[in-house]
Amino acid sequence: MDILVGWWDDYFWGSVVVAQVFVCSLILMIIFGLIGAAAKLSDNFIAQKLANGYTIVFRGTPEILVILLLYFGSAIALTSIAQIFNPDIKFLDVPPFWAGTIAIALIVGSYATETFRGAFLGVNPGSIEAARALGMSNLQTFIYVRVPEMWRLALPAFGNHMLSLVKDTALISIIGLNETLFVAKQAIGTTGEPFIMYIVVGLIYLGFSTIITLSVMGLERFGQRHLVSSQ
Amino acid sequence: MTSNAVIQMKNVGKSFGTFQALKGINLEVAKGERIVVCGPSGSGKSTMIRCINRLEKHDEGKIIIDGKELTDQVDDINAVRREVGMVFQSFNLFPHMTILKNLMLAQRLVRKTSKAEARDTAMQLLERVKIPEQADKYPIQLSGGQQQRVAIARTLCMKPKIILFDEPTSALDPEMINEVLEVMTDLARYGMTMICVTHEMGFARSVADRVIFMDAGEIVEEAEPKAFFSNPKNDRTKKFLSQILSH
Amino acid sequence: MSFDFTLIIDAVPKILLGIGLTFQLLVVSAVLGLVLAIGIMLMRISGKWYLSWPAQIYIYIFRGTPILVQIFIVYYGFPQLEFIRESFIWPLFRDPFGCAIVALTLNTGAYVSEILRGGVMGVDRGILEAGTALGLSVRQRFIHLTSPIAIRLALPAYGNDVISLLKSTALASTITLADMTGIARTIVAQTFAPYEIFISLAIIYMILTWILQKSLGRVERHLGRYMQK
């Protein structure tokens, strides 16, 4: 363990980066997923086609490719826009944090689109009819009947999406994000100990996965308490 | 009585956790006897017949089938299961096999019959339950009543000495109940030993040699159908009969 | 910023030179992963703690860590270990292709074993009881009832995992392999035209995904004939 001395704080800050990417990409992923699901469920033909295109592209392309494309692609786009105002600019860098976060949110959001869509369609139509029959308004039905039921249906898959987000964070190290895998590479450069350095990275990610899994299990139990029969 | 009893249950008890499903069940069934078991839900009727072919293990008392006691000995259980057929409430046909294959599978694997012989037996029995034309269809393509008749034929393929029926008509639409009861009545007429858990009281009246009423894991009353329906002795039986016969 | 089509026409044939390697990575690790998954699944459902615990720990580790980290541990980490360098499997770990296969197999094996378990658990208990009542042994029930039904139930999720595996093969480019992604990254480094090259590559992957989906859909329909009224 002596070789790890001096690297703990780097790993710690790398973990903080992982957590930051996770939180930001989670928010974006939910937004992308909800927009995608709403578009697929809408009556608008163009919205449906666009949403279908979105899921086909991001579910059919390797994650690493999306990250590379977004990173290098946006850098070039930004540079050429900047050159209109100032021709002296040679190259504008895009922060890997945001390129990566948006990339993995787009990828996992394409899966979340299907999850949210399925959950919306999975709500028992009888419950909705019953709420209408009791005189509840559209909004009330949505808030008190549809959302709680959707939430319960979507949660298991949603938990997997969160795990994907946290694990995909490691891919962003390829474009230079200073998360734990990136830290390990630097540490290996000086210590020449790849095995132990990468194992630490694995353990850190395993820790993140465990926290997410346990939280989802807790939420699931909470969401299903009405399904526990009295027997 | 012991001499011709094919099923003997002596003081049989069974618990699921803290819940006692069966308490001190004593029952003897003679060869060729037809018994109907009724009672409210949760009374232990299904558990009792499931113990007879050891789909459930009893934890007290003795069960002896055709002279063999049911213990943990695997050979004995399979020997018993070959003699005891069972028909389920939800049919439980093998969904991935055609009707014919459903009927042939156990003959081939358990009885080791040749393919041709298994097929002949299967087709004969499909004739007997009056659906030979469905042989090459899959279960999902048949109506509930047809599926249950296939399930009965599948059991008959094994040439069992005893058949257990676990609420065979409860999952059926009303118009299909009769076609299944007809097949069961036909079996009874040919002398099959049968134990039927059912609420079809018409069937009980016309076919049963004995009706057994269970409640809370116990046999509360048993009698010939005439006496059972016209003159029930126990209050719980009276209450149950008034509930199910009133509608 | 402009889109240079001559670049694409130039690059696509070069990228396609890597399709063989992509395909080898996919097929070899899918087959080995499936074999591994069956073993792990059987251990997991064996009901014996000394079999099911190791299986669960294996699944937990490989599903809980990024596949890129797994690839790096195998490729950069394992050669550091004395007992691996001295063992007969050393040639496998000296070669980046072998390392990629090992990592992809172990990774997909963990996911697929859980998919298969889901299929086995999804088999209606009543059907198995009917088999029991007819006198079928545990083994006969597993071969003739559980397996065929479970395979059909697991197939859609398995198809998704094969597609994930195809996408994961792209990570082999991070350990010097010249699969399609590896070649594309080299071209981008030379031409600095990420749009043209990466978009062409993405389209190639999408076509492959589409072909995989269609063929798996066909298998699903064939095995699921008994589900159609």
Side-chain angles (χ1 to χ4, degrees):
Chain A
M1 289 292 129
D2 288 348
I3 26 169
L4 283 166
V5 171
W7 294 102
W8 287 119
D9 55 334
D10 299 84
Y11 275 120
F12 172 76
W13 291 113
S15 309
V16 172
V17 172
V18 174
Q20 285 171 333
V21 171
F22 175 69
V23 172
C24 296
S25 62
L26 179 63
I27 295 167
L28 288 174
M29 177 266 270
I30 294 173
I31 295 171
F32 294 148
L34 286 176
I35 294 173
K40 280 203 175 184
L41 290 163
S42 78
D43 297 328
N44 188 314
F45 180 76
I46 297 167
Q48 277 180 22
K49 285 287 155 197
L50 281 175
N52 279 339
Y54 167 57
T55 49
I56 290 172
V57 168
F58 285 93
R59 297 176 71 161
T61 312
E63 293 84 350
I64 181 188
L65 195 51
V66 177
I67 292 170
L68 290 171
L69 189 56
L70 229 77
Y71 178 63
F72 289 117
S74 56
I76 290 181
L78 219 66
T79 308
S80 47
I81 291 168
Q83 278 169 345
I84 298 170
F85 301 103
N86 182 357
D88 291 339
I89 292 174
K90 287 282 177 288
F91 187 73
L92 260 186
D93 210 3
V94 179
F97 182 94
W98 286 109
T101 300
I102 293 170
I104 65 175
L106 278 169
I107 296 161
V108 182
S110 68
Y111 290 88
T113 294
E114 291 303 328
T115 303
F116 292 149
R117 180 177 159 273
F120 189 85
L121 294 175
V123 175
N124 175 11
S127 309
I128 308 281
E129 275 179 18
R132 291 270 159 73
L134 288 168
M136 285 165 77
S137 71
N138 274 346
L139 187 65
Q140 286 170 327
T141 309
F142 187 79
I143 293 173
Y144 293 104
V145 181
R146 207 184 262 283
V147 170
E149 182 75 359
M150 268 181 71
W151 175 238
R152 189 180 62 76
L153 290 172
L155 195 58
F158 191 75
N160 285 334
H161 299 332
M162 290 201 286
L163 287 174
S164 299
L165 282 180
V166 94
K167 286 185 285 177
D168 284 352
T169 305
L171 297 175
I172 310 178
S173 69
I174 291 172
I175 55 168
L177 178 75
N178 52 345
E179 54 70 74
T180 54
L181 195 58
F182 191 82
V183 171
K185 268 184 202 165
Q186 292 176 318
I188 292 159
T190 34
T191 62
E193 293 281 350
F195 186 75
I196 188 83
M197 292 301 173
Y198 284 131
I199 288 286
V200 172
V201 179
L203 289 174
I204 291 171
Y205 275 103
L206 202 57
F208 277 109
S209 299
T210 307
I211 295 168
I212 293 171
T213 308
L214 291 177
S215 324
V216 172
M217 273 164 63
L219 285 172
E220 266 181 51
R221 208 164 297 152
F222 179 74
Q224 294 181 343
R225 64 203 183 285
H226 67 286
L227 294 179
V228 178
S229 95
S230 57
Q231 279 190 333
Chain B
M1 187 83 193
T2 334
S3 55
N4 66 346
V6 283
I7 301 173
Q8 288 176 282
M9 301 180 87
K10 290 179 189 165
N11 226 357
V12 171
K14 163 83 192 166
S15 303
F16 297 103
T18 55
F19 175 69
Q20 243 197 316
L22 294 179
K23 301 171 200 161
I25 298 285
N26 283 298
L27 178 69
E28 291 207 344
V29 181
K31 193 169 185 312
E33 208 177 0
R34 290 143 302 193
I35 291 182
V36 164
V37 184
C38 59
S41 72
S43 60
K45 323 171 287 262
S46 287
T47 309
M48 183 179 81
I49 65 166
R50 287 163 63 85
C51 281
I52 293 174
N53 66 352
R54 217 172 170 73
L55 285 180
E56 307 283 359
K57 281 184 194 173
H58 59 287
D59 33 42
E60 280 168 49
K62 265 188 183 178
I63 300 178
I64 300 165
I65 309 292
D66 206 15
K68 293 186 196 79
E69 186 179 346
L70 292 185
T71 59
D72 283 326
Q73 236 68 46
V74 178
D75 287 353
D76 285 350
I77 296 164
N78 282 337
V80 167
R81 281 185 184 142
R82 276 200 289 274
E83 309 306 330
V84 183
M86 184 150 188
V87 176
F88 299 85
Q89 178 177 358
S90 46
F91 330 134
N92 294 346
L93 295 179
F94 308 136
H96 57 303
M97 297 178 180
T98 61
I99 300 305
L100 189 63
K101 293 258 168 66
N102 260 275
L103 269 64
M104 288 168 64
L105 183 74
Q107 296 188 65
R108 303 270 289 130
L109 294 177
V110 181
R111 293 264 188 224
K112 313 279 180 209
T113 9
S114 74
K115 205 169 182 176
E117 197 186 326
R119 177 186 293 267
D120 284 350
T121 312
M123 285 314 294
Q124 274 169 27
L125 287 163
L126 283 179
E127 298 270 0
R128 186 158 168 197
V129 299
K130 304 189 182 72
I131 34 176
E133 73 283 359
Q134 311 285 1
D136 294 321
K137 290 196 180 161
Y138 286 103
I140 199 172
Q141 296 163 328
L142 270 58
S143 74
Q146 290 173 325
Q147 288 193 48
Q148 193 61 299
R149 284 188 277 157
V150 172
I152 294 172
R154 181 176 67 178
T155 299
L156 290 173
C157 280
M158 300 301 287
K159 305 191 170 67
K161 291 181 178 155
I162 304 159
I163 302 186
L164 310 169
F165 292 86
D166 190 1
E167 307 210 27
T169 56
S170 301
L172 294 176
D173 291 334
E175 73 271 19
M176 293 171 185
I177 290 177
N178 273 334
E179 62 186 63
V180 172
L181 290 180
E182 270 169 33
V183 172
M184 290 168 63
T185 309
D186 178 61
L187 280 178
R189 199 178 303 139
Y190 283 93
M192 177 64 75
T193 311
M194 300 163 66
I195 302 183
C196 313
V197 173
T198 181
H199 290 162
E200 292 297 327
M201 290 304 140
F203 175 78
R205 261 199 200 101
S206 61
V207 174
D209 298 306
R210 234 188 321 160
V211 181
I212 287 175
F213 173 70
M214 288 183 72
D215 191 18
E218 294 170 316
I219 294 182
V220 175
E221 185 158 354
E222 53 177 301
E224 284 178 18
K226 224 180 210 169
F228 183 84
F229 289 110
S230 58
N231 188 18
K233 298 200 172 55
N234 191 293
D235 284 344
R236 281 190 276 179
T237 320
K238 283 178 198 162
K239 192 173 159 225
F240 176 75
L241 284 176
S242 73
Q243 275 167 353
I244 69 163
L245 295 177
S246 62
H247 61 246
Chain C
M1 191 181 76
S2 61
F3 215 77
D4 190 347
F5 281 98
T6 54
L7 244 171
I8 296 178
I9 293 162
D10 211 37
V12 167
K14 287 185 196 153
I15 292 175
L16 285 175
L17 286 178
I19 202 170
L21 188 55
T22 295
F23 222 70
Q24 281 173 31
L25 288 167
L26 174 68
V27 173
V28 176
S29 44
V31 171
L32 294 177
L34 183 60
V35 174
L36 177 67
I38 293 171
I40 295 293
M41 184 271 291
L42 290 174
M43 283 168 70
R44 177 93 163 76
I45 64 168
S46 66
K48 299 189 176 71
W49 66 268
Y50 52 87
L51 292 176
S52 81
W53 280 25
Q56 260 174 289
I57 291 168
Y58 163 75
I59 293 164
Y60 172 70
I61 290 174
F62 280 88
R63 297 211 312 174
T65 52
I67 177 150
L68 191 59
V69 176
Q70 292 162 17
I71 291 175
F72 284 179
I73 290 177
V74 172
Y75 181 67
Y76 295 110
F78 280 6
Q80 214 194 333
L81 304 176
E82 193 98 6
F83 69 89
I84 285 186
R85 261 179 301 160
E86 283 167 4
S87 77
F88 69 97
I89 49 170
W90 173 229
L92 191 66
F93 290 97
R94 216 170 33 190
D95 168 30
F97 180 78
C99 289
I101 292 290
V102 169
L104 291 171
T105 299
L106 290 173
N107 185 268
T108 189
Y111 284 91
V112 173
S113 76
E114 283 296 272
I115 290 170
L116 295 178
R117 191 173 73 96
V120 169
M121 294 297 154
V123 177
D124 183 357
R125 273 198 52 192
I127 289 163
L128 299 176
E129 278 191 348
T132 312
L134 287 166
L136 267 58
S137 67
V138 177
R139 215 185 130 83
Q140 289 171 331
R141 288 199 297 269
F142 193 80
I143 294 172
H144 295 276
L145 304 180
T146 306
S147 300
I149 298 173
I151 287 170
R152 176 60 191 84
L153 290 177
L155 207 56
Y158 179 72
N160 286 335
D161 194 80
V162 173
I163 288 163
S164 294
L165 185 60
L166 169 68
K167 295 196 285 175
S168 298
T169 60
L171 294 177
S173 66
T174 61
I175 52 169
T176 73
L177 281 172
D179 73 323
M180 292 198 297
T181 306
I183 294 172
R185 288 174 71 179
T186 314
I187 300 175
V188 170
Q190 291 159 355
T191 60
F192 209 70
Y195 272 124
E196 290 86 345
I197 307 300
F198 284 147
I199 287 177
S200 317
L201 179 57
I203 291 169
I204 297 172
Y205 275 109
M206 274 184 260
I207 293 170
L208 289 181
T209 305
W210 181 79
I211 293 171
L212 273 178
Q213 257 166 351
K214 286 287 156 195
S215 3
L216 285 160
R218 201 167 258 192
V219 177
E220 246 172 70
R221 267 196 305 284
H222 178 73
L223 290 179
R225 340 184 259 302
Y226 66 83
M227 287 171 157
Q228 281 137 28
K229 285 221 171 199

